[in-house]
Amino acid sequence: MALCQDAKNQFGFDEVWLVPTPQNPFKNGYEVSYEDRLEMCFILAQDYDWLIASPLEAGSTGKQTPSLIAQLKADNPETTFVWLMGTDSVAELHRWEFDSEDDHSKD
């Protein structure tokens, strides 16, 4: 939650979306099921009108996350999307499958 609040406050985001992935392709699994993690996102978001929980990645393997971001940008050209991720995944960022350099730019 601190990451979400900090991002909203520091960067002036209108919304922060919580979109858990069913399986990070670089992890061997989770102790908590996707359904429970998604439910936790909905519970967390219920008290904040700017915090949105979404099952956009339901059914994915996690490798589609960069493509999902590219599709969101294409479908909503007037909206700026910024991908926030946990520091545990940053070390594996070079292994993610991006369609283009723009998919993981720092802009």
Side-chain angles (χ1 to χ4, degrees):
M1 185 61 194
L3 174 66
C4 296
Q5 287 179 321
D6 288 348
K8 181 179 182 342
N9 294 338
Q10 289 182 13
F11 301 109
F13 295 155
D14 295 324
E15 296 178 342
V16 175
W17 293 7
L18 302 172
V19 185
T21 185
Q23 177 59 52
N24 179 323
F26 307 111
K27 291 184 178 180
N28 290 328
Y30 295 101
E31 293 181 15
V32 179
S33 73
Y34 169 75
E35 292 76 16
D36 287 344
R37 289 184 293 115
L38 181 60
E39 182 62 23
M40 286 186 269
C41 291
F42 279 110
I43 291 169
L44 185 64
Q46 70 187 1
D47 293 330
Y48 303 92
D49 60 350
W50 55 269
L51 192 59
I52 312 297
S54 172
L56 280 172
E57 290 231 66
S60 80
T61 63
K63 288 188 175 185
Q64 295 87 354
T65 300
S67 296
L68 171 66
I69 295 164
Q71 188 62 51
L72 285 170
K73 288 179 176 181
D75 291 347
N76 303 279
E78 72 290 347
T79 302
T80 300
F81 288 93
V82 177
W83 180 11
L84 303 173
M85 64 191 299
T87 57
D88 61 325
S89 296
V90 171
E92 302 296 336
L93 190 59
H94 67 281
R95 296 175 60 194
W96 288 69
E97 297 174 9
F98 293 97
D99 292 333
S100 72
E101 183 67 26
D102 289 339
D103 289 349
H104 64 286
S105 68
K106 296 177 181 156
D107 297 337

